[in-house]
Amino acid sequence: MLEELKKYKEIHGHCSVPDTCTSSKRLALGASTQRQQYRETKEGRSLIMAQERVDMLNNLGFVLKLQEENWYEMFNKLKKYKERHGDCRVPEIYAPNQQLGNW
């Protein structure tokens, strides 16, 4: 998986592989599995993921906490919206960024 992840990073410039990655379903499944094993290890429900593997993935720039990263990304977009509009009341149908409107 690491070699495939390196190639993904070369192409996309990041390692935030979404679980729904259409360019490589195998990589998407592998990324999802790594995140699940990471969560289970952190919660004490599993010992599958060794710190060495966590370090290898982190050194490559792989995002183990994708939901947390996405939350911060949307939060920063909301801050920019507030700077422009003076409030945080993003309309549900917001053409410049529909994702922000839904968030």
Side-chain angles (χ1 to χ4, degrees):
M1 180 182 139
L2 283 177
E3 289 306 314
E4 197 170 350
L5 188 57
K6 288 176 185 176
K7 288 178 187 174
Y8 181 92
K9 185 175 183 177
E10 286 176 18
I11 294 168
H12 300 279
H14 62 78
C15 289
S16 299
V17 181
D19 295 343
T20 57
C21 178
T22 55
S23 62
S24 175
K25 293 185 187 233
R26 183 176 149 205
L27 182 59
L29 179 61
S32 179
T33 299
Q34 296 303 307
R35 291 183 182 113
Q36 180 180 356
Q37 289 177 356
Y38 177 77
R39 278 191 307 273
E40 289 175 358
T41 300
K42 287 295 177 189
E43 293 168 359
R45 296 186 290 138
S46 173
L47 297 174
I48 292 174
M49 185 169 274
Q51 187 60 45
E52 181 181 349
R53 185 164 25 142
V54 172
D55 293 342
M56 285 172 41
L57 291 168
N58 282 335
N59 288 338
L60 192 56
F62 181 72
V63 178
L64 287 163
K65 298 178 181 179
L66 191 58
Q67 287 180 333
E68 186 175 309
E69 181 179 276
N70 289 342
W71 189 91
Y72 281 107
E73 181 182 336
M74 293 305 295
F75 181 73
N76 287 327
K77 289 178 181 180
L78 180 61
K79 287 181 2 185
K80 289 178 184 175
Y81 178 91
K82 184 177 181 183
E83 287 173 10
R84 274 187 237 123
H85 301 281
D87 61 47
C88 294
R89 296 182 302 245
V90 182
E92 273 188 55
I93 300 172
Y94 180 58
N97 188 333
Q98 187 60 48
Q99 192 177 20
L100 183 60
N102 291 333
W103 190 67

